[in-house]
Amino acid sequence: MLKRILALVRKEFLALFKDKKSRFIIVAPPIIQLLVFGYAATFDLNRIPIAVLNQDSGAASRQLLAHFRGSTNFQEIAPLHQNRDIAKTINSKQALLVLQLGPHFSRDLYLGKPAQLQVIVDGRNSNTALIALNYVHSIVLQFNNDWVKNHHGPAPPAHLQLRAWFNPNLESRWFIVPGIIGLLTLVVTMVVTALSVAREREQGTFDQLLVTPLRPVEILLGKALPGFVIGLLEGSLIILVAVYWFNVPLIGNLSALFIGIVLFLLSAVGVGLMISSLAVTQQQGMLGAFLFLVPAIILSGFATPIANMPTLVQQLTVINPMRYFMVVLRGVFLEGTPLALLFKQFWPMAVIGIVTLAIAAWLFRHRMQ
Amino acid sequence: MRLRGLVRKEFLQILRDPSSIAIAFLMPLLLLLLFGYGVSLDAKNVPIALVVEHPNADTASFTASFQQSRYFKPLFVSNMRQARSVLMSGRVHGIVRLAGDFSSKLRSRDGAAIQVIVNGVDANTARVVQGYVQSLWSLWLEQRATSAGHKLAIPVDVRQRVWFNSELRSRNYLVPGLLAVIMTLIGALLTAMVVAREWERGTMEALMVTPVAMREILLGKLIPYFVLGMGGMCLSVGMTLWLFDVPLRGSVLILFVAAALFLLAALGMGLLISILAKNQFVAGQAAIIVTFLPAFILSGFIFDIGSMPPFVQALTHVIAARYFVAILQTLFLAGNVWSVIIPNALALAAMAAFFLLLSRRMARKRLD
């Protein structure tokens, strides 16, 4: 039995790698995408273009603006001179935000009256707007504290001590790069498995496979192993890049990480093969792959938290293997979550894997035209 | 005349295998429903642990602001050990701790410290939570000062105004952006396999012995799928406007011109993949890899392009979705801003021309 499965596995690998274009597609893009996306996918903002309309001539306004100019988060474009320039600068996206200081800014500040800093933000991308506003608030907070200290004003009765655990500088890359590991592993596995049965069906060779002494379970294993092996190899490679190239800390237990990957691959291969054996043509196989891949990624918590979704959609994510893998990846990488706490994530992936593989094996024989 | 025959044949093929129709209509419907409701960056009811070590009137006035806020769902715990364990198990996103000496320190010269700890794993949510806590804190300070009968002296007071999306509803920019992601998928999916299929089934050879020119074969492929794609686009725009209540402040006409240009670019890319691959297996693999993820991550749909490192920014210029996302977000939320629309529309037109002309060049009536 082992010999028969191995022969099938060998044939599957040949089918994937004998074609130069197909070989290239399986190997090159994941590595390139990891490097590009690892740099691209971040919610942190750098060099936010800002424009300043300063109608104040005092020293205090210059002092405040120096705080903005000194920050790497902001980059000032040419100064504005009139109120009506504001709309033009924002509309055309030359600046994401405009700081406006009125003519009495310094005077108010010295008199102890609240000096107003007007901030106008482009809300077309509301998340970017929100983050930029947070940066503005923290600069102003710092300025206010310094001002009170230097001018012997009364300190506020209570102040905040902000700290972040697991990711002290709140670098969103630490959050996104482990997510990309899951993303690319899933894509590679789908690329390898989703068309594998569909192609044989379309070409008629699957019927031939069925009349050989191979049992459905053996066909299933033969079809599943290549996707599994390629996913495991590429996943491990991507983890190495995440740790050694992007310097994302991996503080948890490697065995927990690999149990997670193995179970995730089991479920991904299962879904891929199920789609592939449902499809009669390759086009349907590809359509099915996308119909699974796109929601699985968007509703996995990769970029937008599951907790923000409406309850109905949250319940839907229960059948999404990606969502469990995301928790495992981030937990192991950043929090060092112990194995016992991850069990909650492990078993649903195992169930999804077993159920989909069983359905795939059943479909081999029962879906014939 | 010959072209009409080809178009007709393609339409018949579409009707026979309904998967193309499913791609054009079912997919946008399903994806927009899922994402329009599912994708949101607005954190509400964030679970947070409040550690009050010595409850009294002062701590109660502070914690009351958390209980009233719609941004937080507070969970009272009595010590840091418990708070730590609920944070580790993911039940709360952060901890706010008022130490035992909160009341006495409040009246001292240095003031009391409020410890705020966030789970930094999801850095974006963590930042948002910090921002919420800060605004609750300054509101509380103000209330305290007012009830004590004096005004709080704030040196610089930030007055913020958010244009185009004053409630900061993330759906308003995510849904228009999704249109670009979904149309990228549809465009590429519709055409990625159609020429490869003819090669693989040998019907391309049959077409070659007929007098039709390659140009006509390609146009015969392009026209039906363009019609189908625009149908899907209409459906998606309708859902965006009436189901998700995203305002459309610009002109509908410009929206559809831009959509047509974008669809041509997406279909062109699909055709090119299909021509280069010559077999459906490779074409399908290529379509899965080069369409969705780049459009999702590099288009500015969710991650800000201006903050990416320069070499990645340069790379985003070859992603057609990037230009369409810029046009969509501007048209829907800001209006007809020509300085944004014209350069991006020109870029889309250039990309469409590039892909279509390259497809034309690469497609030869030749067997190899």
Side-chain angles (χ1 to χ4, degrees):
Chain A
M1 173 177 163
L2 193 68
K3 223 173 107 188
R4 288 199 299 260
I5 296 174
L6 281 180
L8 188 57
V9 170
R10 185 153 164 261
K11 175 231 140 209
E12 289 294 320
F13 270 115
L14 277 177
L16 282 171
F17 286 107
K18 72 158 203 292
D19 185 301
K20 207 174 81 190
K21 293 171 193 157
S22 173
R23 196 161 61 216
F24 174 79
I25 278 169
I26 292 168
V27 179
I31 307 298
I32 300 169
Q33 290 189 324
L34 174 65
L35 291 177
V36 172
F37 297 163
Y39 283 109
T42 166
F43 286 114
D44 304 333
L45 303 179
N46 301 304
R47 304 178 302 273
I48 305 167
I50 57 168
V52 178
L53 176 59
N54 187 0
Q55 291 155 325
D56 178 75
S57 50
S61 61
R62 285 201 299 276
Q63 216 178 319
L64 175 65
L65 290 175
H67 277 70
F68 282 93
R69 291 183 182 125
S71 158
T72 54
N73 295 128
F74 295 103
Q75 189 173 46
E76 193 184 347
I77 61 160
L80 304 183
H81 301 290
Q82 298 145 319
N83 267 323
R84 59 190 166 88
D85 292 342
I86 296 176
K88 216 173 64 192
T89 334
I90 297 257
N91 282 346
S92 62
K93 290 195 164 182
Q94 281 172 281
L96 183 78
L97 57 89
V98 172
L99 303 176
Q100 187 190 3
L101 297 90
H104 306 303
F105 183 84
S106 292
R107 204 190 68 190
D108 286 345
L109 203 54
Y110 283 113
L111 287 176
K113 284 202 279 185
Q116 279 191 11
L117 171 70
Q118 293 267 5
V119 183
I120 296 132
V121 200
D122 177 355
R124 262 170 280 188
N125 181 329
S126 66
N127 193 52
T128 307
L130 209 62
I131 298 169
L133 279 175
N134 270 349
Y135 291 162
V136 170
H137 280 287
S138 58
I139 286 183
V140 171
L141 191 68
Q142 186 63 43
F143 177 85
N144 281 350
N145 287 344
D146 292 350
W147 183 270
V148 169
K149 222 176 267 166
N150 294 338
H151 294 79
H152 307 290
H159 55 270
L160 297 178
Q161 282 176 343
L162 299 175
R163 266 197 299 158
W165 281 357
F166 311 123
N167 182 1
N169 297 322
L170 291 181
E171 279 186 56
S172 68
R173 184 161 294 143
W174 287 14
F175 177 65
I176 299 286
V177 170
I180 292 179
I181 298 173
L183 210 71
L184 293 180
T185 310
L186 180 67
V187 171
V188 167
T189 318
M190 291 308 278
V191 163
V192 174
T193 54
L195 297 179
S196 69
V197 181
R199 171 158 75 168
E200 297 219 31
R201 256 196 230 282
E202 189 169 318
Q203 293 174 345
T205 50
F206 199 70
D207 292 345
Q208 293 172 11
L209 206 57
L210 287 176
V211 296
T212 59
L214 283 163
R215 277 176 296 156
V217 180
E218 293 168 3
I219 300 177
L220 184 75
L221 281 172
K223 288 276 177 196
L225 272 172
F228 194 82
V229 170
I230 292 173
L232 194 62
L233 286 178
E234 294 211 5
S236 313
L237 183 66
I238 296 168
I239 289 172
L240 285 179
V241 178
V243 173
Y244 292 104
W245 182 271
F246 287 108
N247 294 320
V248 179
L250 174 57
I251 63 173
N253 186 324
L254 266 182
S255 61
L257 189 59
F258 274 90
I259 294 175
I261 293 183
V262 166
L263 290 175
F264 175 65
L265 283 172
L266 189 74
S267 59
V269 168
V271 173
L273 283 181
M274 187 178 77
I275 289 170
S276 194
S277 24
L278 263 173
V280 179
T281 64
Q282 292 186 62
Q283 189 168 13
Q284 288 174 5
M286 188 173 72
L287 175 63
F290 269 106
L291 274 180
F292 168 70
L293 205 58
V294 176
I297 288 171
I298 295 201
L299 302 180
S300 67
F302 164 69
T304 62
I306 291 180
N308 292 359
M309 298 169 188
T311 325
L312 189 74
V313 181
Q314 285 194 35
Q315 283 163 354
L316 210 65
T317 64
V318 169
I319 54 166
N320 179 3
M322 245 317 242
R323 99 165 253 177
Y324 306 104
F325 193 39
M326 286 286 147
V327 179
V328 173
L329 282 167
R330 285 162 179 160
V332 173
F333 262 89
L334 302 176
E335 297 176 78
T337 314
L339 205 61
L341 273 181
L342 287 173
F343 187 71
K344 277 205 300 240
Q345 317 296 333
F346 287 155
W347 72 261
M349 289 195 285
V351 170
I352 294 171
I354 291 165
V355 169
T356 48
L357 283 172
I359 296 177
W362 185 82
L363 282 170
F364 284 168
R365 276 199 181 279
H366 291 84
R367 188 166 168 94
M368 305 204 7
Q369 286 152 298
Chain B
M1 197 55 221
R2 284 195 304 245
L3 184 61
R4 236 169 70 192
L6 281 171
V7 170
R8 187 157 166 265
K9 168 227 153 211
E10 203 66 36
F11 265 122
L12 280 177
Q13 216 161 3
I14 291 171
L15 289 176
R16 299 269 159 80
D17 178 6
S19 65
S20 297
I21 295 175
I23 294 174
F25 295 101
L26 204 63
M27 214 152 98
L29 190 81
L30 216 75
L31 294 183
L32 260 181
L33 274 180
L34 271 181
F35 306 157
Y37 287 114
V39 176
S40 162
L41 287 163
D42 311 328
K44 264 187 212 137
N45 295 320
V46 180
I48 195 159
L50 295 180
V51 185
V52 183
E53 291 179 352
H54 184 73
N56 55 37
D58 291 320
T59 62
S61 82
F62 184 76
T63 52
S65 57
F66 277 85
Q67 284 164 301
Q68 282 150 15
S69 163
R70 65 193 169 100
Y71 295 115
F72 290 110
K73 201 169 74 190
L75 175 77
F76 284 92
V77 293
S78 46
N79 54 45
M80 275 306 275
R81 211 172 45 81
Q82 269 180 23
R84 206 190 152 84
S85 83
V86 283
L87 185 93
M88 283 302 283
S89 66
R91 281 178 55 209
V92 296
H93 284 315
I95 302 170
V96 175
R97 176 181 176 227
L98 303 176
D101 55 0
F102 181 73
S103 273
S104 56
K105 279 276 180 65
L106 207 55
R107 287 164 185 81
S108 71
R109 168 111 187 89
D110 295 336
I114 300 166
Q115 221 178 51
V116 180
I117 294 161
V118 290
N119 183 339
V121 171
D122 180 353
N124 194 49
T125 304
R127 243 187 249 285
V128 172
V129 170
Q130 284 187 343
Y132 289 162
V133 174
Q134 265 168 357
S135 59
L136 279 189
W137 164 74
S138 59
L139 221 67
W140 175 73
L141 283 181
E142 221 168 294
Q143 279 169 1
R144 238 183 100 80
T146 323
S147 61
H150 53 83
K151 264 188 87 82
L152 188 70
I154 322 165
V156 174
D157 183 19
V158 177
R159 292 294 166 91
Q160 64 190 45
R161 269 189 296 161
V162 181
W163 281 6
F164 312 129
N165 187 359
S166 50
E167 319 112 275
L168 289 168
R169 206 166 78 120
S170 66
R171 193 185 279 169
N172 278 7
Y173 84 94
L174 287 174
V175 174
L178 276 172
L179 285 186
V181 175
I182 293 172
M183 291 314 289
T184 305
L185 281 182
I186 293 171
L189 279 179
L190 283 176
T191 45
M193 292 178 125
V194 291
V195 178
R197 188 171 56 194
E198 303 253 6
W199 276 109
E200 205 174 296
R201 291 182 177 166
T203 47
M204 192 56 111
E205 283 177 46
L207 269 176
M208 279 181 182
V209 297
T210 63
V212 292
M214 200 65 210
R215 190 186 64 236
E216 290 170 313
I217 296 180
L218 290 184
L219 275 177
K221 297 276 173 202
L222 199 61
I223 293 169
Y225 292 108
F226 181 77
V227 172
L228 218 54
M230 283 309 275
M233 184 75 203
C234 289
L235 178 73
S236 312
V237 170
M239 284 174 68
T240 309
L241 291 178
W242 293 300
L243 195 64
F244 296 112
D245 288 321
V246 178
L248 175 63
R249 305 204 169 102
S251 112
V252 182
L253 184 68
I254 300 172
L255 179 64
F256 276 95
V257 171
L261 287 175
F262 175 72
L263 193 60
L264 281 178
L267 292 173
M269 190 167 78
L271 266 185
L272 188 63
I273 291 175
S274 181
I275 288 166
L276 291 178
K278 286 203 179 153
N279 84 56
Q280 295 188 74
F281 191 58
V282 175
Q285 289 176 327
I288 291 175
I289 282 173
V290 303
T291 55
F292 169 59
L293 283 185
F296 180 46
I297 293 179
L298 299 177
S299 64
F301 149 63
I302 199 157
F303 301 109
D304 180 55
I305 293 179
S307 301
M308 297 175 187
F311 86 94
V312 181
Q313 281 194 39
L315 239 145
T316 61
H317 284 285
V318 301
I319 310 290
R322 171 208 164 126
Y323 306 106
F324 195 39
V325 167
I327 293 179
L328 285 173
Q329 288 183 349
T330 297
L331 268 183
F332 272 97
L333 298 176
N336 300 333
V337 182
W338 296 110
S339 54
V340 175
I341 293 167
I342 290 177
N344 284 302
L346 284 178
L348 279 180
M351 287 199 78
F354 173 79
F355 281 128
L356 292 174
L357 288 176
L358 195 63
S359 304
R360 172 69 195 88
R361 266 189 74 88
M362 302 306 280
R364 286 282 152 74
K365 266 187 131 180
R366 198 172 57 209
L367 297 172
D368 34 29

